[in-house]
Amino acid sequence: MTETHAISFTLNGQPVSAEVDARLHLADFLRHTLKLTGTHIGCEHGVCGACNVLVDGRSARSCLMLAVQADGTTVETIEGLTARGKIADLQAEFAARNALQCGYCTPGMLATAAELLEHPAPTREEIRDALSGNYCRCTGYHAIVDAIEAVAQKRRAP
Ligand code: FES
Ligand code: FES
């Protein structure tokens, strides 16, 4: 018998309520139930970071989190971050600097960067450290680090 639970949380600024299987991952709930396919799934083992979303403002692996664990939280996916323009500068800088190629890792990278940039002046080493849980097969990481560093500097500019 499948065990289900009622959950309610705030997703991209909107209330969401659902009855979910106890073992359903948040990533699958977002992608398959809610059709928010901007959150990507790579390894499904917490290694690659493609599935990162923000939960209560902190980046979190949605492949390691159960949908029931989202109950009562505030979740932001790439769709919500984009719609609110919260990371428009990061997205523009990623595009300008070729920090995305196939784009598969990009939503997770941006979620990680969004959290990191709450810290106003990360060093290059801190940016690399923050990104160490996000795999990219295409870019070699330099352009991604450059883009995040540039946005950090621009946000600090008077
Ligand atoms: S799909 Fe979640 S960390 Fe790889
Ligand atoms: S841009 Fe292709 S995996 Fe990062």
Side-chain angles (χ1 to χ4, degrees), residues 18 35 54 68 105 108 122 126:
K35 310 300 181 196
L54 295 179
V68 293
C105 70
E126 286 170 334

Side-chain angles (χ1 to χ4, degrees), residues 38-98:
T39 298
H40 291 166
I41 294 178
C43 65
E44 295 187 80
H45 283 84
V47 176
C48 74
C51 66
N52 273 10
V53 297
L54 295 179
V55 178
D56 291 335
R58 305 289 306 273
S59 65
R61 303 284 208 234
S62 60
C63 75
L64 291 186
M65 202 175 149
L66 297 170
V68 293
Q69 292 176 291
D71 188 42
T73 69
T74 295
V75 177
E76 283 190 285
T77 69
I78 191 68
E79 289 89 350
L81 291 167
T82 300
R84 288 199 294 123
K86 197 175 176 197
I87 55 167
D89 52 356
L90 267 170
Q91 289 166 312
E93 206 68 45
F94 267 56
R97 292 173 180 268
N98 276 339

Side-chain angles (χ1 to χ4, degrees), residues 30 49 52 62 85 96 100 105-106 156:
L30 293 171
N52 273 10
S62 60
L100 69 167
C105 70
T106 308
R156 289 201 304 276

Side-chain angles (χ1 to χ4, degrees), residues 43 46-52 59 61 105 108-109 112 127-136 141:
C43 65
V47 176
C48 74
C51 66
N52 273 10
S59 65
R61 303 284 208 234
C105 70
M109 288 283 183
T112 299
I127 295 171
R128 284 196 172 278
D129 188 51
L131 295 180
S132 62
N134 290 73
Y135 286 9
C136 179
Y141 300 93

